[in-house]
Amino acid sequence: MKSVNRTRGALALFAFAALFGSAAQAAPTFQMPFPCGQVWSGQTRTNHSPANAVDFNRANDEGDTVVAAAAGTVSVVRNLGDTSYGKYVVIDHGGGWTSLYAHLNSYSVSVGQSVAMGKSIGTVGTTGGSTGPHLHFEERLSGTAQKIKFNGSQILYWGSDDYTSRNSCGSSGGATGTVNTNGTPLNVRSGPGTSYSIVGSLSDGATVTIQCQTTGTSVSGTYGTSNIWNRIGSGRFIPDAYTYTGSDGRVAPDC
């Protein structure tokens, strides 16, 4: 989680990244793989394969929409028939991070396609080695399933709990952020970089709605060094390095 007291940790992470490149990239801010506001029961168990995966169920869920848990590029669309994952999709989020969606009834994306967080990628099914309709979901780092987090919070291990999706909630599919400059006004630019013209300023502590995020000039700020820029209006961008969002990764769709 981002916090004002996290500066030293951010600087240490930056130093590590300078030595090891993309391997140090923070995890994406994964959201639940379902549309905003939907409630699903998620189950984890030690005998699951892999153990850190989660199975999602709700009543009459076969054919329900599955969406991208974070922005990325589709790397796998495959049908294993009556075995294993059955019909499944993998999305590459960069830095070694991927997400996997299995036992789908159908898929609606293709390999190489760029998808925004919240983009429909398929429907819940019971294909492969499944005994009933559900979504098998994984968050992977370098091919190994990790314990799952949504919006920066880890789900329950081990057992079942109900979760409410915050994926792309809001009319713009964006998120809320707070400017943190330790007192100095923050310039608002006409584009995602310091070479763009200044079109306004925001005071320290100002609340902003992040409509979408894109990459541009790398900026060192309160939360380390980042090339992510947040669009807060038409022709209005601020650096993510000075924006508190409650997460180290992306929190809004790609611009």
Side-chain angles (χ1 to χ4, degrees):
M1 300 290 287
K2 289 181 178 177
S3 69
V4 177
N5 296 322
R6 162 182 184 278
T7 305
R8 284 195 299 175
L11 291 174
L13 179 61
F14 173 59
F16 184 84
L19 289 173
F20 297 99
S22 61
Q25 181 171 318
T29 305
F30 289 110
Q31 299 288 347
M32 285 181 62
F34 302 107
C36 175
Q38 291 188 359
V39 179
W40 287 76
S41 176
Q43 181 189 67
T44 58
R45 56 190 187 276
T46 56
N47 64 347
H48 206 173
S49 180
N52 285 334
V54 61
D55 282 344
F56 281 110
N57 294 96
R58 69 175 187 170
N60 302 313
D61 57 6
E62 187 165 13
D64 283 357
T65 298
V66 176
V67 304
T73 302
V74 178
S75 58
V76 176
V77 177
R78 188 170 296 159
N79 184 358
L80 297 178
D82 294 330
T83 63
S84 186
Y85 292 135
K87 293 181 180 179
Y88 74 103
V89 169
V90 177
I91 299 175
D92 186 346
H93 307 287
W97 286 94
T98 58
S99 55
L100 181 146
Y101 314 74
H103 305 312
L104 299 174
N105 184 61
S106 63
Y107 29 66
S108 54
V109 290
S110 56
V111 172
Q113 180 178 343
S114 294
V115 292
M117 179 173 61
K119 163 72 176 178
S120 175
I121 62 170
T123 58
V124 174
T126 184
T127 59
S130 170
T131 57
H134 70 281
L135 178 70
H136 172 103
F137 177 77
E138 300 174 23
E139 294 173 1
R140 294 176 166 186
L141 177 59
S142 301
T144 301
Q146 307 295 301
K147 286 193 173 179
I148 288 168
K149 293 182 179 180
F150 294 129
N151 201 43
S153 297
Q154 183 177 294
I155 65 173
L156 174 67
Y157 284 90
W158 309 94
S160 298
D161 204 355
D162 289 339
Y163 303 95
T164 301
S165 177
R166 294 178 57 184
N167 196 321
S168 299
C169 292
S171 59
S172 67
T176 299
T178 304
V179 172
N180 183 1
T181 59
N182 294 318
T184 305
L186 180 65
N187 288 330
V188 179
R189 302 276 180 173
S190 63
T194 53
S195 62
Y196 287 87
S197 60
I198 298 172
V199 294
S201 66
L202 294 169
S203 60
D204 186 24
T207 299
V208 295
T209 298
I210 302 169
Q211 298 175 345
C212 61
Q213 294 176 298
T214 188
T215 55
T217 305
S218 185
V219 172
S220 295
T222 308
Y223 302 111
T225 299
S226 175
N227 66 349
I228 298 175
W229 284 72
N230 303 322
R231 191 179 79 184
I232 59 171
S234 178
R236 293 172 60 83
F237 291 81
I238 59 173
D240 192 60
Y242 285 105
T243 313
Y244 175 83
T245 60
S247 170
D248 289 329
R250 289 179 179 251
V251 296
D254 292 337
C255 294

